Amino acid sequence: MSDSAKENQNYDVVIVGAGFAGLYMLHRMHQAGRTARVFEAGSGVGGTWYWNRYPGARCDIQSMEYSYSFSEELQQDWEWPEKYSAQPDIEKYANHVADRFNLRSDIQFDTRVSEASFDDDDSSWKIQTDQGDVVTAQFFIMATGCLSSTNMPEIEGMDNYTGDTYHTGQWPKDDVDFTGKNVAIIGTGSSAIQSTPVIAQQAESLTVYQRTPSYSLPSANHPSDPEYVADVKANYKEFREANQKMPAGTGAEWLKDMNEPMMTYSPEEQQEIMESMWTKGGFTFVRSFPDITLDYAANEIAADFVRDKIRGTVEDADTAELLCPEIVIGCKRMVIDSGYYESFNEKHVHLIDLRDNPIEGIEETGIRTSDGLREYDAIVYATGFDAMTGSILKVDIKGRENKSLRDEWVAGPRTYLGLNSVDFPNMFTITGPGSPSVLTNMMVSIEQHVDWISDCIAYMDEKEFATIEATQDAQDEWVDHVNSVADKTLFTDPNCNSWYLGANVEGKTRVFMPLPGYPAYKEKCEEVVANGYEGFNLA
Ligand code: NA7
């Protein structure tokens, strides 16, 4: 760990977060010979993959894609053990990157940035941390991740609970042993669905509290296939480029299986196609037809297919029915699982459906729902995140004339390109709201943003500009653009309370935050640069 930066140091760049965005941003700054400081709340690198070390945590993008492309040597050297990487392997990779590129000395761990304010007079940012650091920087870069601010529900009496309490997004570093314990898990998103089969292997009993059933697809995960890996590595550049052209920056391999819109096939053919894509595992199923997430009729047929799979897997018919989702498929992020539905065939795994039996409170010994109290040794909150804006707004950020970002974003985040906001000069958000971010392979979006920001800083240096800031018109038009693109999809279905919309967090304004369509976005960013940073004021 490096020394503290308390000595009123001035840097070219201050970066918040040492996840994959922060690490690459720091590397690019080193390459450019700039002084940079990273502040990281955790004790190690990895960001989301540092905190989300819950049992069963695994990436839903395949390993050969969920990795950096910026170093040919790195991508050739690194060996991923499985098709979909588990959290410990991803964390190991993040540590390898930090060491390989000598990043650690500029990262200050166990330090949370608390405040940042822009000084109009000398065009610099003043940044303060919870450890007493006060530093200044020309550029202030939020590499805080999209799923890093945990959402802990406020349930009456929860503080009185005397058993062990965990949140999947803040899992302890020490081993948690559930052997012989009666465990409850609240939530049925990705974190709960991934951890359920693993906790069930240990616990005496596991009870899953479900408010909204999710659609979960089988991962068909397996150890890395050496032949496939060798093939990818032989053409890694082309492999990456092909993925860059995909709507989510991932899955070019699906192109060979891509079909026409669903209704061009007979019902029998539709079922056959979905069956074959289901068997391949992961998000492949959603690509069975291009219109599953665009057309309600196609969507309902795909949803029925998954519901039938649930009914065919879960032996108890009542439990199966409760696990069948009703919402539009894909309007919430789909989950990729390894044995979730099968868990409910085990005698010691139970489901409590909260729709007609809501949680009334938490007591000293357990959870009370309308039908009574159930006692547990441990409660696991798998209740998700204040996504995309949570970690940005945790920092008290003040821009020009002391304007508060919290106030500016009270009715939803407002950015130009998801990179910068009016009145917050020289502040960048990596994979910020208004950019494709969570709708893509995050590694692709992170590299694209870091490269754009690094090139922008180099351009400003060359042309001797001190500040860059979005114009009001460009930002307003961009926000309208993001909304209009989202409105053409089923993501904004009124019955869907996804974290993309902020609808999972009480009091958060319902606005669709990411922008669908990676290739068009990337082209727009390139066009902006080609037109002399169109939409930005450079001063
Ligand atoms: P998610 O997907 O936001 O899931 C959170 C779950 O917790 C979801 O089922 C929620 O139900 C449930 N929840 C939240 N608050 C409550 C309360 N108060 N009572 C009962 N149930 C509650 O978070 P994850 O961590 O699983 O996954 C986040 C992303 O990480 C995922 O999409 C992947 O991209 C990786 P709800 O649906 O709101 O009714």
Side-chain angles (χ1 to χ4, degrees):
M1 196 183 300
S2 61
D3 296 329
S4 163
K6 286 189 180 92
E7 62 277 11
N8 285 327
Q9 196 93 30
N10 176 56
Y11 298 96
D12 294 332
V13 180
V14 160
I15 301 163
V16 189
F20 286 115
L23 291 179
Y24 182 40
M25 192 72 233
L26 178 59
H27 176 57
R28 286 290 316 252
M29 293 301 97
H30 279 176
Q31 283 181 321
R34 284 172 217 290
T35 56
R37 186 78 170 172
V38 176
F39 292 108
E40 165 58 55
S43 311
V45 296
T48 292
W49 295 106
Y50 171 86
W51 295 105
N52 282 269
R53 51 183 74 240
Y54 60 83
R58 188 178 290 286
C59 189
D60 55 10
I61 302 285
Q62 65 150 315
S63 315
M64 296 307 287
E65 295 186 43
Y66 196 84
S67 52
Y68 288 121
S69 71
F70 71 81
S71 160
E72 179 60 14
E73 294 74 28
L74 171 66
Q75 67 181 6
Q76 290 296 335
D77 291 352
W78 189 259
E79 300 286 345
W80 293 105
E82 292 179 278
K83 178 174 181 184
Y84 295 101
S85 293
Q87 180 273 337
D89 291 316
I90 303 177
E91 195 188 7
K92 208 188 285 176
Y93 176 73
N95 277 285
H96 172 79
V97 169
D99 294 332
R100 184 175 186 132
F101 297 101
N102 296 320
L103 302 176
R104 278 185 208 279
S105 57
D106 285 320
I107 306 173
Q108 187 172 319
F109 293 104
D110 301 303
T111 306
R112 187 175 283 283
V113 171
S114 48
E115 287 171 49
S117 54
F118 183 73
D119 184 332
D120 284 288
D121 295 332
D122 69 359
S123 297
S124 73
W125 282 90
K126 180 167 135 192
I127 293 119
Q128 302 184 56
T129 76
D130 65 354
Q131 299 301 309
D133 308 280
V134 183
V135 302
T136 52
Q138 186 187 359
F139 295 98
F140 176 56
I141 302 183
M142 294 299 277
T144 38
C146 295
L147 295 163
S148 42
S149 181
T150 50
N151 175 40
M152 193 64 158
E154 279 173 27
I155 303 176
E156 205 181 300
M158 63 193 286
D159 292 341
N160 301 331
Y161 179 64
T162 54
D164 299 326
T165 299
Y166 305 94
H167 192 291
T168 46
Q170 282 184 327
W171 203 261
K173 278 178 104 171
D174 299 334
D175 271 353
V176 176
D177 186 2
F178 288 121
T179 308
K181 301 222 163 130
N182 295 309
V183 181
I185 183 160
I186 301 180
T188 49
S190 181
S191 304
I193 287 179
Q194 289 188 333
S195 54
T196 289
V198 185
I199 296 177
Q201 276 173 17
Q202 255 189 6
E204 178 76 20
S205 78
L206 175 64
T207 307
V208 179
Y209 283 77
Q210 167 183 272
R211 190 165 70 179
T212 311
S214 293
Y215 292 94
S216 190
L217 313 171
S219 66
N221 187 33
H222 54 71
S224 290
D225 169 4
E227 219 171 287
Y228 171 78
V229 170
D231 262 10
V232 171
K233 286 191 174 177
N235 303 290
Y236 228 143
K237 187 163 177 279
E238 292 75 16
F239 178 83
R240 301 280 194 191
E241 279 169 4
N243 284 314
Q244 290 269 343
K245 296 195 180 98
M246 299 296 288
T250 169
E253 288 171 334
W254 299 326
L255 273 181
K256 58 183 183 306
D257 302 319
M258 189 54 96
N259 299 290
E260 299 298 316
M262 190 188 273
M263 300 311 167
T264 48
Y265 298 93
S266 70
E268 294 74 28
E269 287 169 332
Q270 291 167 359
Q271 295 297 312
E272 251 173 57
I273 291 170
M274 286 190 287
E275 186 63 44
S276 98
M277 300 294 257
W278 177 269
T279 313
K280 286 184 181 150
F283 289 128
T284 329
F285 173 77
V286 198
R287 306 285 161 211
S288 300
F289 305 100
D291 48 348
I292 287 184
T293 51
L294 297 171
D295 174 61
Y296 274 105
N299 191 279
E300 185 57 17
I301 293 171
D304 266 340
F305 181 92
V306 180
R307 288 190 278 260
D308 282 346
K309 287 289 182 193
I310 298 170
R311 293 181 187 114
T313 306
V314 179
E315 288 156 12
D316 178 70
D318 293 338
T319 306
E321 228 35 64
L322 291 173
L323 287 166
C324 283
E326 290 157 356
I327 52 172
V328 159
I329 187 168
C331 72
K332 285 188 170 191
R333 191 179 176 99
M334 309 275 288
V335 179
I336 310 298
D337 76 275
S338 300
Y340 173 63
Y341 295 117
E342 290 82 349
S343 301
F344 293 95
N345 294 335
E346 307 218 17
K347 293 265 172 304
H348 69 300
V349 179
H350 314 286
L351 180 70
I352 304 288
D353 191 76
L354 300 175
R355 284 167 293 185
D356 52 11
N357 184 25
I359 294 178
E360 289 184 343
I362 294 188
E363 300 183 7
E364 266 180 41
T365 55
I367 302 173
R368 180 175 292 283
T369 49
S370 312
D371 70 349
L373 175 71
R374 290 175 182 81
E375 301 196 325
Y376 301 106
D377 303 306
I379 299 178
V380 175
Y381 291 87
T383 44
F385 302 90
D386 181 356
M388 301 199 70
T389 54
S391 293
I392 299 174
L393 297 181
K394 257 190 192 165
V395 180
D396 186 8
I397 301 174
K398 300 273 170 55
R400 281 196 198 283
E401 294 163 17
N402 216 26
K403 280 189 187 155
S404 155
L405 192 68
R406 290 176 186 158
D407 293 343
E408 298 298 309
W409 286 12
V410 78
R414 298 189 70 80
T415 70
Y416 178 41
L417 303 173
L419 279 163
N420 173 257
S421 291
V422 176
D423 287 324
F424 297 85
N426 292 5
M427 172 181 155
F428 293 111
T429 44
I430 300 177
T431 67
S435 75
S437 64
V438 290
L439 299 179
T440 66
N441 171 2
M442 284 299 283
M443 285 294 206
V444 168
S445 283
I446 285 170
E447 286 193 323
Q448 188 251 338
H449 264 190
V450 171
D451 289 339
W452 194 97
I453 295 165
S454 305
D455 294 347
C456 171
I457 293 176
Y459 174 85
M460 287 174 65
D461 239 20
E462 188 196 320
K463 303 277 180 200
E464 298 187 356
F465 287 122
T467 58
I468 181 166
E469 180 183 358
T471 66
Q472 190 69 54
D473 284 352
Q475 177 169 293
D476 291 348
E477 278 167 30
W478 189 253
V479 172
D480 289 348
H481 171 68
V482 175
N483 288 332
S484 76
V485 174
D487 283 344
K488 292 190 190 90
T489 69
L490 305 184
F491 285 126
T492 50
D493 182 87
N495 297 317
C496 199
N497 295 323
S498 69
W499 54 258
Y500 296 139
L501 287 158
N504 62 325
V505 173
E506 239 180 278
K508 192 166 173 176
T509 309
R510 189 184 167 96
V511 174
F512 193 76
M513 294 180 285
L515 168 74
Y518 174 74
Y521 171 79
K522 187 175 172 237
E523 278 166 27
K524 170 72 182 174
C525 289
E526 286 163 1
E527 194 183 297
V528 163
V529 174
N531 294 337
Y533 289 88
E534 190 176 27
F536 287 101
N537 271 328
L538 285 151

